[in-house]
């Protein structure tokens, strides 16, 4: 994917961690996102990411869909969670994400277009990601495409926390 990565409008939620950290050991942060591909040209690919830490593309890469070929009105759906395992400036979290990118009329037969992964975009083995719980923590969904005229639309992005 050759285009610049950018945060979706309305795609960042910041958790206020100071002065008393909201993210503690055992805290689960769940997220869901729903979007669509509004228009494409030239059979482009798109890549969707969830980042934590700094807002925008500066956050730590946590989940990454990898490049997927998209078409007009394709549905993009992500859901997952991050569990805090250690706190502080060198804190860690673990989690999983399930995502779906496919044609709007193929939603009933999602098996071929559905993937799951652990944190840091690994299919196996990388089960932790760094998270600094001493500062405010942003959860940001970003997108990247390589086709001129590609328009990715974020319809909803929800982040919730439970201790």
């Amino acid at each position: 994917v050759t285009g610049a990565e950018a945060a979706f409008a309305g795609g960042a939620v910041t958790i206020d961690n100071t002065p008393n950290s909201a993210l503690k050991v055992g805290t689960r942060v769940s997220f869901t996102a729903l979007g669509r591909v509004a228009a494409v040209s030239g059979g482009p690919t798109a890549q969707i990411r969830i980042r934590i830490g700094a807002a925008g593309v500066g956050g730590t890469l946590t989940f990454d869909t990898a490049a997927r070929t998209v078409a007009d009105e394709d549905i993009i759906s992500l859901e997952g969670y991050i569990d805090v395992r250690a706190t502080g400036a060198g804190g860690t979290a673990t989690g999983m994400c399930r995502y779906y990118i496919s044609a709007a009329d193929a939603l009933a037969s999602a098996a071929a277009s559905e993937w799951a992964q652990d944190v840091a975009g690994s299919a196996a083995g990388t089960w932790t990601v760094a998270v600094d719980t001493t500062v405010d923590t942003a959860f940001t969904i970003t997108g990247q495409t390589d086709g001129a005229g590609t328009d990715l639309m974020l319809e909803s992005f929800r982040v919730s926390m439970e201790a």
Side-chain angles (χ1 to χ4, degrees):
V1 180
T2 57
E5 181 181 4
F8 282 96
V13 176
T14 300
I15 295 174
D16 182 2
N17 280 332
T18 54
N20 298 313
S21 181
L23 296 178
K24 302 183 181 330
V25 172
T27 300
R28 172 168 284 188
V29 179
S30 301
F31 59 88
T32 58
L34 179 64
R36 65 184 174 89
V37 179
V40 299
S41 64
T45 56
Q47 197 162 353
I48 310 298
R49 297 181 176 101
I50 300 283
R51 294 185 173 275
I52 61 173
V57 298
T60 301
L61 177 61
T62 307
F63 299 109
D64 186 346
T65 67
R68 302 288 177 208
T69 301
V70 294
D72 287 0
E73 299 305 320
D74 276 3
I75 294 169
I76 300 168
S77 173
L78 296 96
E79 63 179 335
Y81 65 86
I82 297 168
D83 290 335
V84 177
R85 295 294 180 217
T87 57
T92 58
T94 187
M96 67 85 56
C97 177
R98 190 171 161 182
Y99 60 93
Y100 172 80
I101 301 174
S102 191
D105 60 356
L107 190 57
S109 58
S113 301
E114 195 170 299
W115 300 270
Q117 63 182 210
D118 65 359
V119 295
S122 174
T126 307
W127 288 97
T128 61
V129 66
V131 58
D132 183 353
T133 63
T134 66
V135 297
D136 293 351
T137 302
F139 289 78
T140 306
I141 182 168
T142 67
Q144 183 176 5
T145 65
D146 64 1
T150 303
D151 194 0
L152 299 175
M153 307 291 291
L154 182 66
E155 305 294 344
S156 69
F157 183 54
R158 181 171 183 259
V159 175
S160 60
M161 221 173 48
E162 59 187 71

